[in-house]
């Protein structure tokens, strides 16, 4: 396959940034999207140019490091996948692919396709934890949690914090991310002690970071590599209202 | 515990304010429609005019009217504020952005449909509310007939009702998501109830100008 890439290049945070076109020859349909970028980068290094910077780590869809806007879609076409799980067979020979970093004021671009997602970390630090000392591993049946509740909490816990929800949302809202974290702990007994303080602090921090607010377009759910459901956002809203009383 | 001010200014609080005012305005549509359908009673406009006089003279209705305008104002001001903050949150725009592949059209055009509904509201109030309240118009049924004998007004109202339908298509069910009630269990029920607001109500409203235009309105009201 021969692919034309229009990649966002930006030297550092202060640089204006611009699109640069590259041609990727000999692309195998079996390559992952990141492998294709690796090959392009090897070519750039050989020519003495700076390779395209992008975040990546596990390359199997569980770390949440990779992520870029591919042809206007967070993590590219396809559902329930991170960029590393996207394969070149999703494209056709001769295609032009536009690659941009996540765009949000809360995710400033560091370099090329890498963005600073520490705003997510600060939201987590605001309340996405339980501070109770839980001691050793409890007996398997000591804390009874009904299976449907455990499943719901597990679905929320699947969030890898990649930021695709923010990138896909027309309002750059982080509601899906925050709702997954709040939901996970609100559903489980270990999360009860800090339940009201948690939702208030995490939402306050989310607003502090200047993320937008949800307008229920559900672009986040569509692009989430872990297919986190927007019913968690409904729960977040419910938790937030309940925390006021 | 948050102060009420902190609560209502948070991202979720702002959405709640939007939902509550929006739902109130949706409920108003039922009252408005029920009264307006009196136009279709073929009694020369008698029942509609009686209704219009009642609405104009009853102190309770006049008080609620103030509340209605207040709710409209809050819905607009809060909506503009959310729209502006959300716009700022993106910062630099995407060169290619395919929201059309993962969202519905009504959900993407809320600000646009809202602006068009506001435009309609201004024309609508000038055409009917101002004459009734401030210009001493007694024969409201007659005013309805003379207005909708003009094809351009009919077309304008029909387009406005389609846009209103679009706004409610997303807005009504959205309110329940914001309340946190749109769980898997109630999603179907909410969608069903929503159809009444975004489909049935606009269609019934549309019957009035269409009926007047197509029949000439002679049975609807006597023109002085």
């Amino acid at each position: 396959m021969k692919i034309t890439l229009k990649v966002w290049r930006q030297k550092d945070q202060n640089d204006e940034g611009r699109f640069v076109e590259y041609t990727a020859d000999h692309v195998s349909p079996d390559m992952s999207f990141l492998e294709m970028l690796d090959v392009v980068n090897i070519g750039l290094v050989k020519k003495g140019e700076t390779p395209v910077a992008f975040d990546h780590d596990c390359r199997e869809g569980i770390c949440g490091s990779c992520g870029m806007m591919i042809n206007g879609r967070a993590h590219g076409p396809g559902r329930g996948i991170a960029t590393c799980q996207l394969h070149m067979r999703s494209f056709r020979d001769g295609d032009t692919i536009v690659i941009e970093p996540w765009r949000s004021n809360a995710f400033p671009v560091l370099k090329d396709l890498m963005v600073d997602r520490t705003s997510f970390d600060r939201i987590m630090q605001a309340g996405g934890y339980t501070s109770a000392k839980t001691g050793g591993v409890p007996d398997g049946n000591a804390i009874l949690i009904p299976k449907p509740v455990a499943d719901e909490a597990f679905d929320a816990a699947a969030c890898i914090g990649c930021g695709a929800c923010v990138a896909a949302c027309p309002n750059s809202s982080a509601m899906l991310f925050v709702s997954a974290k709040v939901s996970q702990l609100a559903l489980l007994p270990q999360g009860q002690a800090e339940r009201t303080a948690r939702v208030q602090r995490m939402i306050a921090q989310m607003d502090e970071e200047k993320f937008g607010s949800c307008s229920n377009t559900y672009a986040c759910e569509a692009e989430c590599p872990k297919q986190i459901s927007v019913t968690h956002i409904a729960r977040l809203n419910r938790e937030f209202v309940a925390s006021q009383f | 515990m948050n102060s009420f001010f902190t609560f209502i200014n948070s991202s979720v609080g702002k959405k709640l304010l939007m939902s509550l005012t929006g739902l109130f305005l949706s409920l108003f549509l039922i009252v408005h429609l029920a009264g307006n359908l009196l136009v279709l009673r073929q009694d020369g406009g008698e029942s509609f005019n009686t209704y219009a006089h009642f609405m104009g003279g009853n102190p309770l209705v006049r008080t609620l009217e103030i509340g209605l305008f207040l709710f409209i104002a809050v819905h607009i001001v809060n909506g503009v504020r959310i729209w502006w903050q959300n716009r700022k949150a993106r910062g630099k725009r995407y060169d290619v952005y395919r929201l059309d592949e993962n969202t519905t059209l009504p959900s993407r055009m809320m600000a646009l449909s809202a602006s068009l509904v506001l435009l309609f509201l201004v024309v609508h109030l000038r055409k009917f509310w101002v004459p009734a309240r401030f210009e001493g118009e007694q024969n409201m049924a007659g005013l309805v007939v003379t207005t909708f004998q003009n094809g351009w007004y009919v077309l304008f109202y029909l387009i406005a009702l389609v846009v209103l339908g679009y706004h409610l298509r997303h807005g009504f069910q959205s309110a329940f998501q914001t309340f946190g009630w749109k769980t898997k269990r109630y999603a179907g029920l909410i969608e069903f109830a929503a159809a009444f607001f975004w489909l049935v109500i606009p269609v019934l409203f549309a019957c009035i100008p269409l009926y007047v235009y197509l029949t000439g309105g002679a049975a609807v009201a006597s023109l002085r």
Side-chain angles (χ1 to χ4, degrees), chain A residues 35-104:
Chain A
E35 282 164 350
M36 181 273 296
L37 284 179
D38 288 338
V39 173
V40 170
N41 274 344
I42 290 170
L44 288 177
V45 171
K46 278 184 181 159
K47 279 195 285 181
E49 293 176 35
T50 321
V52 178
F54 60 91
D55 268 321
H56 60 98
D57 190 18
C58 75
R59 298 207 176 199
E60 53 181 12
I62 54 169
C63 76
S65 298
C66 66
M68 49 194 85
M69 212 65 175
I70 301 163
N71 283 344
R73 299 272 304 270
H75 293 305
R79 295 218 155 193
I81 52 167
T83 304
C84 58
Q85 295 164 297
L86 174 67
H87 287 81
M88 294 313 292
R89 53 179 168 268
S90 305
F91 301 93
R92 274 190 304 240
D93 190 22
D95 273 1
T96 298
I97 304 176
V98 180
I99 313 173
E100 295 172 79
W102 290 163
R103 294 273 185 219
S104 163

Side-chain angles (χ1 to χ4, degrees), chain A residues 73 105 168 213 216 223 238, chain B residues 86 88 97 101-102 174 180:
Chain A
R73 299 272 304 270
N105 271 347
S213 59
N216 306 327
E223 300 298 17
R238 217 156 60 226
Chain B
N86 284 349
K88 270 199 313 192
Y97 190 32
E101 288 178 10
N102 52 32
S174 210

Side-chain angles (χ1 to χ4, degrees), chain B residues 117-133:
Chain B
V117 169
L118 179 62
L119 176 74
F120 162 76
L121 198 62
V122 172
V123 175
H124 180 56
L125 288 177
R126 179 64 197 92
K127 193 70 206 165
F128 292 108
W129 183 74
V130 172
R133 284 286 180 281

Side-chain angles (χ1 to χ4, degrees), chain B:
Chain B
M1 173 134 168
N2 284 336
S3 72
F4 183 72
F5 186 74
T6 317
F7 169 61
I8 215 70
N9 271 307
S10 68
S11 49
V12 179
K14 274 180 287 192
K15 298 297 297 175
L16 275 170
L17 201 58
M18 217 55 199
S19 310
L20 287 170
T21 49
L23 277 188
F24 177 84
L25 297 176
S26 303
L27 291 177
F28 162 73
L29 286 180
I30 299 180
V31 182
H32 192 28
L33 177 66
N36 282 17
L37 286 178
L38 289 174
V39 165
L40 299 182
R41 280 186 72 169
Q42 304 188 343
D43 59 0
E46 206 185 313
S47 0
F48 185 70
N49 281 337
T50 314
Y51 157 74
H53 288 157
F54 169 76
M55 295 303 271
N58 189 298
L60 182 68
V61 177
R62 295 299 291 271
T63 313
L64 283 174
E65 189 180 67
I66 297 169
L68 179 65
F69 276 106
L70 198 71
F71 271 58
I72 293 175
V74 171
H75 198 72
I76 292 171
V77 171
N78 194 46
V80 168
R81 192 170 157 223
I82 293 175
W83 173 79
W84 177 244
Q85 286 171 343
N86 284 349
R87 234 185 115 73
K88 270 199 313 192
R90 168 105 308 147
K92 194 167 169 49
R93 319 259 118 200
Y94 287 113
D95 199 54
V96 182
Y97 190 32
R98 300 304 300 270
L99 265 184
D100 56 314
E101 288 178 10
N102 52 32
T103 57
T104 62
L105 182 63
S107 75
R108 289 196 301 274
M109 54 177 276
M110 282 308 267
L112 178 65
S113 58
S115 312
L116 293 175
V117 169
L118 179 62
L119 176 74
F120 162 76
L121 198 62
V122 172
V123 175
H124 180 56
L125 288 177
R126 179 64 197 92
K127 193 70 206 165
F128 292 108
W129 183 74
V130 172
R133 284 286 180 281
F134 302 109
E135 292 168 1
E137 176 64 55
Q138 296 299 312
N139 185 8
M140 285 306 286
L143 183 61
V144 170
V145 170
T146 44
T147 304
F148 292 134
Q149 277 172 347
N150 182 341
W152 291 111
Y153 264 111
V154 177
L155 187 67
F156 177 70
Y157 269 70
L158 291 183
I159 293 172
L161 285 165
V162 170
V163 174
L164 179 68
Y166 260 87
H167 194 68
L168 294 177
R169 176 76 188 89
H170 181 69
F172 188 84
Q173 52 83 28
S174 210
F176 291 91
Q177 167 77 359
T178 302
F179 294 154
W181 296 349
K182 206 180 166 196
T183 56
K184 281 177 194 122
R185 191 168 166 195
Y186 294 115
L189 185 67
I190 291 166
E191 280 296 330
F192 183 76
F196 178 73
F197 286 89
W198 69 261
L199 184 64
V200 178
I201 286 188
V203 166
L204 288 176
F205 266 122
C207 288
I208 298 167
L210 275 178
Y211 180 79
V212 171
Y213 186 69
L214 296 176
T215 64
V220 172
S222 54
L223 300 176
R224 278 166 302 170

Side-chain angles (χ1 to χ4, degrees), chain A residues 7-20 53 101 103 108-114, chain B residues 92:
Chain A
V7 187
W8 183 259
R9 299 302 310 260
Q10 186 174 334
K11 229 170 103 186
D12 53 40
Q13 272 180 290
N14 304 319
D15 185 22
E16 267 284 291
R18 71 215 63 83
F19 281 102
V20 178
R103 294 273 185 219
V109 174
L110 293 172
K111 187 179 164 71
D112 300 337
L113 304 172
M114 286 172 85
Chain B
K92 194 167 169 49

